[in-house]
Amino acid sequence: MQQSITISRPAAEVLAYVADLDHWREWLPQLRREETDRPEGDLALDRAAGTVRWEFSPSGEWRVEGEGKVARLTLRLDAETATPNDPTERQTPHDALASGMEAALQSLKSHLERAEGGDPVLHTAGAPQRAYGQSTGEDTDQVSGSP
């Protein structure tokens, strides 16, 4: 199974980030809990091919492509199913894997772009905050210089 996402960062930066297991706890939702151990095993980085492979379960690969300031990150897992995170949720094992992959990609995008949108811990300074559709007191519709 595979999924992709576009990240507004150079491909070399994205590849270096996903190739460092020390960063995985920052963006991988399953590793956010301190009692969850980091995967055992090594990553195989191939800079020329733009890939990072691993053998720990589920084995898989990151593939990074792109030129300039935008990269396309593809996650491929050698699995078709996963155990749902929430046993009360009606989710097939296939859907559970797809959901987990999407969460990981969104979290990576959020971290690498240093913006909100998939990572509940990371916040962008100066971004408008809204609660229940209410503004923070700033008039965001007013154009600078207009009455």
PDB file of all heavy atoms in Angstrom, residues 113-147:
ATOM      1  N   GLU A 113       7.038  21.809   7.147  1.00  0.00           N
ATOM      2  CA  GLU A 113       6.616  23.139   6.699  1.00  0.00           C
ATOM      3  C   GLU A 113       6.480  24.103   7.870  1.00  0.00           C
ATOM      4  O   GLU A 113       6.213  25.278   7.671  1.00  0.00           O
ATOM      5  CB  GLU A 113       5.293  23.043   5.935  1.00  0.00           C
ATOM      6  CG  GLU A 113       5.440  22.325   4.613  1.00  0.00           C
ATOM      7  CD  GLU A 113       4.134  22.254   3.839  1.00  0.00           C
ATOM      8  OE1 GLU A 113       3.067  22.632   4.378  1.00  0.00           O
ATOM      9  OE2 GLU A 113       4.181  21.802   2.677  1.00  0.00           O
ATOM     10  N   ARG A 114       6.625  23.582   9.083  1.00  0.00           N
ATOM     11  CA  ARG A 114       6.504  24.386  10.302  1.00  0.00           C
ATOM     12  C   ARG A 114       5.178  25.137  10.336  1.00  0.00           C
ATOM     13  O   ARG A 114       5.106  26.338  10.550  1.00  0.00           O
ATOM     14  CB  ARG A 114       7.669  25.336  10.434  1.00  0.00           C
ATOM     15  CG  ARG A 114       8.979  24.608  10.661  1.00  0.00           C
ATOM     16  CD  ARG A 114      10.168  25.519  10.478  1.00  0.00           C
ATOM     17  NE  ARG A 114      11.420  24.827  10.657  1.00  0.00           N
ATOM     18  CZ  ARG A 114      12.012  24.070   9.741  1.00  0.00           C
ATOM     19  NH1 ARG A 114      11.438  23.871   8.583  1.00  0.00           N
ATOM     20  NH2 ARG A 114      13.165  23.483   9.975  1.00  0.00           N
ATOM     21  N   ALA A 115       4.116  24.376  10.088  1.00  0.00           N
ATOM     22  CA  ALA A 115       2.772  24.953  10.045  1.00  0.00           C
ATOM     23  C   ALA A 115       1.787  23.984  10.667  1.00  0.00           C
ATOM     24  O   ALA A 115       2.083  22.813  10.844  1.00  0.00           O
ATOM     25  CB  ALA A 115       2.366  25.234   8.602  1.00  0.00           C
ATOM     26  N   GLU A 116       0.608  24.491  10.970  1.00  0.00           N
ATOM     27  CA  GLU A 116      -0.434  23.620  11.493  1.00  0.00           C
ATOM     28  C   GLU A 116      -1.032  22.803  10.358  1.00  0.00           C
ATOM     29  O   GLU A 116      -0.828  23.086   9.199  1.00  0.00           O
ATOM     30  CB  GLU A 116      -1.523  24.458  12.163  1.00  0.00           C
ATOM     31  CG  GLU A 116      -1.011  25.145  13.415  1.00  0.00           C
ATOM     32  CD  GLU A 116      -2.095  25.900  14.107  1.00  0.00           C
ATOM     33  OE1 GLU A 116      -2.844  25.275  14.865  1.00  0.00           O
ATOM     34  OE2 GLU A 116      -2.182  27.107  13.880  1.00  0.00           O
ATOM     35  N   GLY A 117      -1.817  21.795  10.732  1.00  0.00           N
ATOM     36  CA  GLY A 117      -2.494  21.017   9.705  1.00  0.00           C
ATOM     37  C   GLY A 117      -2.181  19.551   9.796  1.00  0.00           C
ATOM     38  O   GLY A 117      -1.697  18.959   8.863  1.00  0.00           O
ATOM     39  N   GLY A 118      -2.401  18.936  10.908  1.00  0.00           N
ATOM     40  CA  GLY A 118      -2.151  17.523  11.034  1.00  0.00           C
ATOM     41  C   GLY A 118      -1.344  17.188  12.266  1.00  0.00           C
ATOM     42  O   GLY A 118      -1.250  16.046  12.648  1.00  0.00           O
ATOM     43  N   ASP A 119      -0.766  18.185  12.914  1.00  0.00           N
ATOM     44  CA  ASP A 119       0.038  17.927  14.091  1.00  0.00           C
ATOM     45  C   ASP A 119      -0.493  18.760  15.247  1.00  0.00           C
ATOM     46  O   ASP A 119      -0.325  19.968  15.273  1.00  0.00           O
ATOM     47  CB  ASP A 119       1.490  18.294  13.815  1.00  0.00           C
ATOM     48  CG  ASP A 119       2.412  17.840  14.917  1.00  0.00           C
ATOM     49  OD1 ASP A 119       1.951  17.752  16.065  1.00  0.00           O
ATOM     50  OD2 ASP A 119       3.576  17.575  14.632  1.00  0.00           O
ATOM     51  N   PRO A 120      -1.144  18.131  16.223  1.00  0.00           N
ATOM     52  CA  PRO A 120      -1.764  18.891  17.305  1.00  0.00           C
ATOM     53  C   PRO A 120      -0.771  19.559  18.241  1.00  0.00           C
ATOM     54  O   PRO A 120      -1.126  20.447  18.992  1.00  0.00           O
ATOM     55  CB  PRO A 120      -2.578  17.834  18.053  1.00  0.00           C
ATOM     56  CG  PRO A 120      -1.899  16.555  17.741  1.00  0.00           C
ATOM     57  CD  PRO A 120      -1.350  16.701  16.354  1.00  0.00           C
ATOM     58  N   VAL A 121       0.492  19.191  18.205  1.00  0.00           N
ATOM     59  CA  VAL A 121       1.473  19.765  19.116  1.00  0.00           C
ATOM     60  C   VAL A 121       2.172  20.973  18.518  1.00  0.00           C
ATOM     61  O   VAL A 121       2.630  21.862  19.215  1.00  0.00           O
ATOM     62  CB  VAL A 121       2.518  18.687  19.503  1.00  0.00           C
ATOM     63  CG1 VAL A 121       3.572  19.256  20.424  1.00  0.00           C
ATOM     64  CG2 VAL A 121       1.828  17.507  20.158  1.00  0.00           C
ATOM     65  N   LEU A 122       2.267  21.024  17.213  1.00  0.00           N
ATOM     66  CA  LEU A 122       3.021  22.069  16.544  1.00  0.00           C
ATOM     67  C   LEU A 122       2.103  23.220  16.158  1.00  0.00           C
ATOM     68  O   LEU A 122       1.103  23.020  15.496  1.00  0.00           O
ATOM     69  CB  LEU A 122       3.677  21.496  15.290  1.00  0.00           C
ATOM     70  CG  LEU A 122       4.687  22.357  14.579  1.00  0.00           C
ATOM     71  CD1 LEU A 122       5.884  22.646  15.485  1.00  0.00           C
ATOM     72  CD2 LEU A 122       5.158  21.660  13.330  1.00  0.00           C
ATOM     73  N   HIS A 123       2.441  24.430  16.563  1.00  0.00           N
ATOM     74  CA  HIS A 123       1.643  25.611  16.240  1.00  0.00           C
ATOM     75  C   HIS A 123       2.532  26.684  15.626  1.00  0.00           C
ATOM     76  O   HIS A 123       3.674  26.856  16.033  1.00  0.00           O
ATOM     77  CB  HIS A 123       0.958  26.160  17.492  1.00  0.00           C
ATOM     78  CG  HIS A 123       0.034  25.180  18.114  1.00  0.00           C
ATOM     79  ND1 HIS A 123      -1.209  24.884  17.599  1.00  0.00           N
ATOM     80  CD2 HIS A 123       0.175  24.379  19.184  1.00  0.00           C
ATOM     81  CE1 HIS A 123      -1.789  23.965  18.336  1.00  0.00           C
ATOM     82  NE2 HIS A 123      -0.966  23.638  19.301  1.00  0.00           N
ATOM     83  N   THR A 124       1.989  27.399  14.690  1.00  0.00           N
ATOM     84  CA  THR A 124       2.730  28.462  14.038  1.00  0.00           C
ATOM     85  C   THR A 124       2.492  29.766  14.775  1.00  0.00           C
ATOM     86  O   THR A 124       1.346  30.163  14.972  1.00  0.00           O
ATOM     87  CB  THR A 124       2.268  28.615  12.573  1.00  0.00           C
ATOM     88  OG1 THR A 124       2.466  27.369  11.930  1.00  0.00           O
ATOM     89  CG2 THR A 124       3.039  29.697  11.864  1.00  0.00           C
ATOM     90  N   ALA A 125       3.569  30.430  15.143  1.00  0.00           N
ATOM     91  CA  ALA A 125       3.442  31.728  15.816  1.00  0.00           C
ATOM     92  C   ALA A 125       2.783  32.721  14.882  1.00  0.00           C
ATOM     93  O   ALA A 125       3.092  32.787  13.702  1.00  0.00           O
ATOM     94  CB  ALA A 125       4.817  32.217  16.233  1.00  0.00           C
ATOM     95  N   GLY A 126       1.868  33.502  15.425  1.00  0.00           N
ATOM     96  CA  GLY A 126       1.227  34.543  14.638  1.00  0.00           C
ATOM     97  C   GLY A 126       0.067  34.076  13.788  1.00  0.00           C
ATOM     98  O   GLY A 126      -0.571  34.883  13.130  1.00  0.00           O
ATOM     99  N   ALA A 127      -0.213  32.788  13.768  1.00  0.00           N
ATOM    100  CA  ALA A 127      -1.344  32.302  12.973  1.00  0.00           C
ATOM    101  C   ALA A 127      -2.635  32.661  13.684  1.00  0.00           C
ATOM    102  O   ALA A 127      -2.724  32.573  14.900  1.00  0.00           O
ATOM    103  CB  ALA A 127      -1.257  30.796  12.778  1.00  0.00           C
ATOM    104  N   PRO A 128      -3.650  33.116  12.954  1.00  0.00           N
ATOM    105  CA  PRO A 128      -4.910  33.458  13.613  1.00  0.00           C
ATOM    106  C   PRO A 128      -5.494  32.234  14.312  1.00  0.00           C
ATOM    107  O   PRO A 128      -5.498  31.143  13.765  1.00  0.00           O
ATOM    108  CB  PRO A 128      -5.818  33.896  12.462  1.00  0.00           C
ATOM    109  CG  PRO A 128      -4.966  34.018  11.265  1.00  0.00           C
ATOM    110  CD  PRO A 128      -3.694  33.286  11.521  1.00  0.00           C
ATOM    111  N   GLN A 129      -5.945  32.418  15.526  1.00  0.00           N
ATOM    112  CA  GLN A 129      -6.565  31.339  16.289  1.00  0.00           C
ATOM    113  C   GLN A 129      -8.053  31.638  16.393  1.00  0.00           C
ATOM    114  O   GLN A 129      -8.447  32.737  16.726  1.00  0.00           O
ATOM    115  CB  GLN A 129      -5.950  31.258  17.694  1.00  0.00           C
ATOM    116  CG  GLN A 129      -4.454  31.009  17.688  1.00  0.00           C
ATOM    117  CD  GLN A 129      -4.100  29.632  17.135  1.00  0.00           C
ATOM    118  OE1 GLN A 129      -4.766  28.654  17.433  1.00  0.00           O
ATOM    119  NE2 GLN A 129      -3.066  29.574  16.325  1.00  0.00           N
ATOM    120  N   ARG A 130      -8.884  30.670  16.131  1.00  0.00           N
ATOM    121  CA  ARG A 130     -10.327  30.853  16.201  1.00  0.00           C
ATOM    122  C   ARG A 130     -10.927  29.764  17.065  1.00  0.00           C
ATOM    123  O   ARG A 130     -10.538  28.615  16.973  1.00  0.00           O
ATOM    124  CB  ARG A 130     -10.954  30.801  14.814  1.00  0.00           C
ATOM    125  CG  ARG A 130     -10.494  31.934  13.925  1.00  0.00           C
ATOM    126  CD  ARG A 130     -11.159  31.805  12.571  1.00  0.00           C
ATOM    127  NE  ARG A 130     -10.679  32.829  11.690  1.00  0.00           N
ATOM    128  CZ  ARG A 130     -11.301  33.966  11.479  1.00  0.00           C
ATOM    129  NH1 ARG A 130     -12.427  34.227  12.076  1.00  0.00           N
ATOM    130  NH2 ARG A 130     -10.805  34.862  10.651  1.00  0.00           N
ATOM    131  N   ALA A 131     -11.878  30.149  17.890  1.00  0.00           N
ATOM    132  CA  ALA A 131     -12.602  29.181  18.712  1.00  0.00           C
ATOM    133  C   ALA A 131     -14.065  29.239  18.330  1.00  0.00           C
ATOM    134  O   ALA A 131     -14.676  30.302  18.370  1.00  0.00           O
ATOM    135  CB  ALA A 131     -12.425  29.507  20.187  1.00  0.00           C
ATOM    136  N   TYR A 132     -14.614  28.121  17.936  1.00  0.00           N
ATOM    137  CA  TYR A 132     -16.033  28.026  17.579  1.00  0.00           C
ATOM    138  C   TYR A 132     -16.435  29.073  16.542  1.00  0.00           C
ATOM    139  O   TYR A 132     -17.481  29.671  16.639  1.00  0.00           O
ATOM    140  CB  TYR A 132     -16.914  28.139  18.832  1.00  0.00           C
ATOM    141  CG  TYR A 132     -16.550  27.137  19.878  1.00  0.00           C
ATOM    142  CD1 TYR A 132     -15.892  27.506  21.030  1.00  0.00           C
ATOM    143  CD2 TYR A 132     -16.842  25.792  19.674  1.00  0.00           C
ATOM    144  CE1 TYR A 132     -15.532  26.565  21.982  1.00  0.00           C
ATOM    145  CE2 TYR A 132     -16.479  24.839  20.613  1.00  0.00           C
ATOM    146  CZ  TYR A 132     -15.834  25.231  21.760  1.00  0.00           C
ATOM    147  OH  TYR A 132     -15.483  24.294  22.692  1.00  0.00           O
ATOM    148  N   GLY A 133     -15.549  29.329  15.591  1.00  0.00           N
ATOM    149  CA  GLY A 133     -15.879  30.245  14.506  1.00  0.00           C
ATOM    150  C   GLY A 133     -15.761  31.711  14.857  1.00  0.00           C
ATOM    151  O   GLY A 133     -16.069  32.565  14.049  1.00  0.00           O
ATOM    152  N   GLN A 134     -15.299  32.031  16.051  1.00  0.00           N
ATOM    153  CA  GLN A 134     -15.161  33.427  16.467  1.00  0.00           C
ATOM    154  C   GLN A 134     -13.744  33.895  16.204  1.00  0.00           C
ATOM    155  O   GLN A 134     -12.798  33.151  16.386  1.00  0.00           O
ATOM    156  CB  GLN A 134     -15.479  33.576  17.964  1.00  0.00           C
ATOM    157  CG  GLN A 134     -16.857  33.087  18.341  1.00  0.00           C
ATOM    158  CD  GLN A 134     -17.954  33.877  17.641  1.00  0.00           C
ATOM    159  OE1 GLN A 134     -17.893  35.092  17.594  1.00  0.00           O
ATOM    160  NE2 GLN A 134     -18.928  33.191  17.092  1.00  0.00           N
ATOM    161  N   SER A 135     -13.604  35.143  15.813  1.00  0.00           N
ATOM    162  CA  SER A 135     -12.273  35.675  15.563  1.00  0.00           C
ATOM    163  C   SER A 135     -11.606  36.002  16.890  1.00  0.00           C
ATOM    164  O   SER A 135     -12.234  36.039  17.942  1.00  0.00           O
ATOM    165  CB  SER A 135     -12.342  36.929  14.692  1.00  0.00           C
ATOM    166  OG  SER A 135     -12.787  38.021  15.460  1.00  0.00           O
ATOM    167  N   THR A 136     -10.320  36.272  16.849  1.00  0.00           N
ATOM    168  CA  THR A 136      -9.547  36.583  18.045  1.00  0.00           C
ATOM    169  C   THR A 136      -9.569  38.068  18.342  1.00  0.00           C
ATOM    170  O   THR A 136      -8.798  38.557  19.142  1.00  0.00           O
ATOM    171  CB  THR A 136      -8.086  36.140  17.870  1.00  0.00           C
ATOM    172  OG1 THR A 136      -7.560  36.835  16.728  1.00  0.00           O
ATOM    173  CG2 THR A 136      -7.975  34.660  17.714  1.00  0.00           C
ATOM    174  N   GLY A 137     -10.427  38.795  17.698  1.00  0.00           N
ATOM    175  CA  GLY A 137     -10.514  40.235  17.911  1.00  0.00           C
ATOM    176  C   GLY A 137      -9.886  41.025  16.769  1.00  0.00           C
ATOM    177  O   GLY A 137     -10.081  42.217  16.663  1.00  0.00           O
ATOM    178  N   GLU A 138      -9.113  40.354  15.946  1.00  0.00           N
ATOM    179  CA  GLU A 138      -8.509  41.026  14.811  1.00  0.00           C
ATOM    180  C   GLU A 138      -9.515  41.010  13.656  1.00  0.00           C
ATOM    181  O   GLU A 138     -10.217  40.045  13.454  1.00  0.00           O
ATOM    182  CB  GLU A 138      -7.256  40.287  14.349  1.00  0.00           C
ATOM    183  CG  GLU A 138      -6.165  40.264  15.380  1.00  0.00           C
ATOM    184  CD  GLU A 138      -4.987  39.424  14.906  1.00  0.00           C
ATOM    185  OE1 GLU A 138      -4.881  39.172  13.689  1.00  0.00           O
ATOM    186  OE2 GLU A 138      -4.184  39.034  15.742  1.00  0.00           O
ATOM    187  N   ASP A 139      -9.556  42.089  12.921  1.00  0.00           N
ATOM    188  CA  ASP A 139     -10.417  42.156  11.751  1.00  0.00           C
ATOM    189  C   ASP A 139      -9.602  41.684  10.554  1.00  0.00           C
ATOM    190  O   ASP A 139      -8.884  42.463   9.954  1.00  0.00           O
ATOM    191  CB  ASP A 139     -10.947  43.578  11.531  1.00  0.00           C
ATOM    192  CG  ASP A 139     -11.973  43.637  10.423  1.00  0.00           C
ATOM    193  OD1 ASP A 139     -12.243  42.597   9.807  1.00  0.00           O
ATOM    194  OD2 ASP A 139     -12.484  44.738  10.186  1.00  0.00           O
ATOM    195  N   THR A 140      -9.701  40.403  10.229  1.00  0.00           N
ATOM    196  CA  THR A 140      -8.879  39.836   9.158  1.00  0.00           C
ATOM    197  C   THR A 140      -9.425  40.161   7.783  1.00  0.00           C
ATOM    198  O   THR A 140      -8.742  39.956   6.792  1.00  0.00           O
ATOM    199  CB  THR A 140      -8.795  38.301   9.311  1.00  0.00           C
ATOM    200  OG1 THR A 140     -10.107  37.769   9.308  1.00  0.00           O
ATOM    201  CG2 THR A 140      -8.054  37.931  10.585  1.00  0.00           C
ATOM    202  N   ASP A 141     -10.664  40.670   7.694  1.00  0.00           N
ATOM    203  CA  ASP A 141     -11.247  40.988   6.388  1.00  0.00           C
ATOM    204  C   ASP A 141     -10.882  42.397   5.931  1.00  0.00           C
ATOM    205  O   ASP A 141     -11.057  42.722   4.770  1.00  0.00           O
ATOM    206  CB  ASP A 141     -12.761  40.843   6.425  1.00  0.00           C
ATOM    207  CG  ASP A 141     -13.184  39.402   6.614  1.00  0.00           C
ATOM    208  OD1 ASP A 141     -12.423  38.520   6.185  1.00  0.00           O
ATOM    209  OD2 ASP A 141     -14.252  39.171   7.191  1.00  0.00           O
ATOM    210  N   GLN A 142     -10.406  43.222   6.826  1.00  0.00           N
ATOM    211  CA  GLN A 142     -10.097  44.607   6.474  1.00  0.00           C
ATOM    212  C   GLN A 142      -8.772  44.671   5.731  1.00  0.00           C
ATOM    213  O   GLN A 142      -7.772  44.104   6.156  1.00  0.00           O
ATOM    214  CB  GLN A 142     -10.033  45.468   7.725  1.00  0.00           C
ATOM    215  CG  GLN A 142      -9.899  46.938   7.399  1.00  0.00           C
ATOM    216  CD  GLN A 142     -10.050  47.793   8.656  1.00  0.00           C
ATOM    217  OE1 GLN A 142     -10.257  47.278   9.737  1.00  0.00           O
ATOM    218  NE2 GLN A 142      -9.959  49.072   8.469  1.00  0.00           N
ATOM    219  N   VAL A 143      -8.753  45.366   4.621  1.00  0.00           N
ATOM    220  CA  VAL A 143      -7.552  45.543   3.829  1.00  0.00           C
ATOM    221  C   VAL A 143      -6.776  46.713   4.401  1.00  0.00           C
ATOM    222  O   VAL A 143      -7.331  47.740   4.757  1.00  0.00           O
ATOM    223  CB  VAL A 143      -7.920  45.813   2.341  1.00  0.00           C
ATOM    224  CG1 VAL A 143      -6.673  46.058   1.533  1.00  0.00           C
ATOM    225  CG2 VAL A 143      -8.732  44.664   1.796  1.00  0.00           C
ATOM    226  N   SER A 144      -5.459  46.557   4.466  1.00  0.00           N
ATOM    227  CA  SER A 144      -4.609  47.599   5.017  1.00  0.00           C
ATOM    228  C   SER A 144      -4.815  48.909   4.264  1.00  0.00           C
ATOM    229  O   SER A 144      -4.823  48.933   3.036  1.00  0.00           O
ATOM    230  CB  SER A 144      -3.143  47.171   4.913  1.00  0.00           C
ATOM    231  OG  SER A 144      -2.314  48.194   5.399  1.00  0.00           O
ATOM    232  N   GLY A 145      -5.015  49.993   5.024  1.00  0.00           N
ATOM    233  CA  GLY A 145      -5.191  51.302   4.419  1.00  0.00           C
ATOM    234  C   GLY A 145      -6.638  51.638   4.115  1.00  0.00           C
ATOM    235  O   GLY A 145      -6.946  52.751   3.743  1.00  0.00           O
ATOM    236  N   SER A 146      -7.560  50.694   4.243  1.00  0.00           N
ATOM    237  CA  SER A 146      -8.968  50.998   3.985  1.00  0.00           C
ATOM    238  C   SER A 146      -9.672  51.298   5.291  1.00  0.00           C
ATOM    239  O   SER A 146      -9.247  50.858   6.346  1.00  0.00           O
ATOM    240  CB  SER A 146      -9.648  49.843   3.255  1.00  0.00           C
ATOM    241  OG  SER A 146      -9.694  48.705   4.087  1.00  0.00           O
ATOM    242  N   PRO A 147     -10.751  52.067   5.267  1.00  0.00           N
ATOM    243  CA  PRO A 147     -11.447  52.440   6.506  1.00  0.00           C
ATOM    244  C   PRO A 147     -12.137  51.293   7.178  1.00  0.00           C
ATOM    245  O   PRO A 147     -12.484  50.317   6.702  1.00  0.00           O
ATOM    246  CB  PRO A 147     -12.463  53.498   6.060  1.00  0.00           C
ATOM    247  CG  PRO A 147     -12.487  53.471   4.567  1.00  0.00           C
ATOM    248  CD  PRO A 147     -11.335  52.689   4.104  1.00  0.00           C
TER     249      PRO A 147
END
